[in-house]
Amino acid sequence: MHSPYTDLEERAFWRSAVGARSALDTGDLYRAKFSISRRAKIATAGSCFAQHVGRSLRSAGLNVLDEEPVPGSIPDSEAQRYGYRLYSARYGNIYTTRQLLQLHKEAYGEISPESAVWEKDSRFYDAMRPSVEPNGLKTPELVAQHRQAHLAAVRDVYETADVVVFTFGLTEAWEHTKSKTVYPTAPGTIAGSYDANTFNFVNLDYNAIMRDFVEFRKRIKAIKKSVKFVITVSPVPLTATATGQHVEVATAYSKSVLRAVCGSLYERFSDVDYFPSYEIITSTNNRGAYFENNKRSVSTKGVQTAMGMFLGAHGFAGEPAQKSPAASSVPVRIAPPISAESNDVVCEDELLEAFSK
Amino acid sequence: MKKVLFVGNSHLGAIRRGWSETPAAWDGWDAEFFALPSTHFLSAELHSDGLFGVGHLGMSAKQAKKWANRINEKTDVSYQNADLIVHVGANLMANRMFPILSTYSIDGFLKNSGTKRMSMEAFKAFCTSVAQSNTEFGGWKTTGIPQIIAPRPRHIETALDELERFVSSDHLRALCKQSDLLARLFDLFEDIYIQQAQTSGWTYVRQPENTITSLGLTEPKYVSGAKILLGDDTAKSDFGHMNANYGGEMLNAIHAAVVARIGISSVTAA
């Protein structure tokens, strides 16, 4: 008797692949769909877990783009406080695919976000990346000028990248009701103020997220046909939900939708690979060992495990990091390896904690 | 008599030669000097017995001792009995900001040719972080003895002719040569060190204004006749080591700080 399961590898069966696996044994969860050259220019973006991804890739000496670089002599903690050295440009966290697509459209002048400057204590913030200037800027005009300069750097990222690594973070977002502009944080969290007549909550569904990413991919491929994508789902649960559901239920929904989109993208496009950081971190096999005490933040060990698997699958594990070119006296566009001093991630949504009773 | 102990790197040469012309302000002070080449001075230590000198460990200790003996005829100097310690020749590290100055326009500070923008707040924060991580400052152990930091002199203005060696950006080179950009950069760093000094319990003495040109660099006349630590003339391409006149100016500035900021007003009162 022959069954379609007869010739499958052990990794296809729960009993051998998970049940018999010792705790913290990472198993064979990931096989790279395509190879990435050490010279490939990698762009990173996404929710705050993506900061870990970028940091790990840089530490492994990969060619992670940085279009808004600061010299290696600036400590990570200080650079990151101002949004530098987090991603390939200083866009801060991009939690949703809607925000990802919106940034692309804005970078090429197709849209102009509504309510793009928020105010707090007579200082002015870029509503699309409010955390990059922790104390805001002097005038709204200055914010607009900085944004235009930033958008030029964003275009450089799009036009240079060989590989785009994007971490899907959230389905929930706040948008400007009339224009549908989405923001990375709710108005009033870092700056600005919430007005129910101007802004509304949106919980993006599978179709919307799928549509946004497919559109984003199409636009990137129009610039450079050979670009490949590595997508992941952030294993970090929601800090808070505005759905009215229990936050754990809302997290399950959100991650499930994102995971489903990633699965579809993986099946549909040969140039899209899915890296299972979500599964590696949240596997029941780990018994929660890869989370910090708050059961939300991913521990250093968890990040090392997940990214170790990624690097290993691409043949980069154990290779020495390249010397930081940013320490030289000339401007560079490749991010320096990040020192061990700063493993904190910058998460705007953690500010929501401050609003919990 | 009071005793001032000068310790430092090769830039201590100018101070020592300035002292030999005995500035009047320092009447009643005895001076002792202890110098090491910059690389060895960086690893010098204050030992538990109150002796400051070359480290006892590490690959370079042997070399450092050799240099220390050659220059000072000893490897350590005692902090004890000193009423004042002056550390000479610390590098501001302002040049570490050149990659930023080459790349970014900085609000209210620099208009660059490229598109990249940086806020003044971020730039100041980065300058401060570089200053705070500067091991040539703040690494001094608290001894209960008043301590002064006297920075190494800025390069002389003719160094701008050699700027290609240090700055790859044509635009930045032009700005350095034609504007007060460097002056403002050095002033910004000095302000940071002064603030840092206030919280650390030491005193920072700026390079005297009358030795600085409008571009923010040292008047070329202060390099004329300069000698290195062991007495040889400095090389033609040496834009950083100054002469006895410069040493005299710096000694006057240090003495003014001793009186005004540390409060040692009169030798006879001691």
Side-chain angles (χ1 to χ4, degrees), chain B residues 62-140:
Chain B
K62 202 174 160 189
Q63 275 290 85
K65 280 181 185 169
K66 196 174 133 191
W67 275 105
N69 277 319
R70 208 169 149 203
I71 297 167
N72 310 289
E73 296 176 338
K74 58 185 174 185
T75 59
D76 303 290
V77 65
S78 175
Y79 267 25
Q80 285 161 5
N81 305 321
D83 298 291
L84 175 70
I85 297 164
V86 182
H87 298 264
V88 176
N91 186 351
L92 295 182
M93 301 290 185
N95 60 322
R96 294 208 174 170
M97 308 316 286
F98 281 177
I100 289 178
L101 299 179
S102 301
T103 312
Y104 288 89
S105 289
I106 301 163
D107 301 340
F109 189 79
L110 167 65
K111 175 85 182 85
N112 222 320
S113 54
T115 57
K116 296 190 195 310
R117 293 288 295 254
M118 182 177 282
S119 69
M120 189 61 196
E121 182 187 312
F123 182 65
K124 267 188 188 170
F126 295 160
C127 292
T128 303
S129 65
V130 165
Q132 284 173 343
S133 63
N134 186 349
T135 54
E136 293 193 49
F137 288 86
W140 320 113

Side-chain angles (χ1 to χ4, degrees), chain A residues 67-71 73-75 78 82 84 133 135 137 142 145-146 149 328 330-331, chain B residues 96-97 99-100 102-104 107 115-119 121-122 125-126 129-130 166 168:
Chain A
E67 294 294 348
E68 294 181 271
V70 289
S73 54
I74 311 297
E78 204 58 20
Y82 288 90
Y84 295 91
E133 289 293 341
N135 298 305
L137 297 175
L142 208 49
Q145 288 167 19
H146 276 244
S328 67
V330 293
Chain B
R96 294 208 174 170
M97 308 316 286
I100 289 178
S102 301
T103 312
Y104 288 89
D107 301 340
T115 57
K116 296 190 195 310
R117 293 288 295 254
M118 182 177 282
S119 69
E121 182 187 312
F126 295 160
S129 65
V130 165
F166 311 102
S168 60

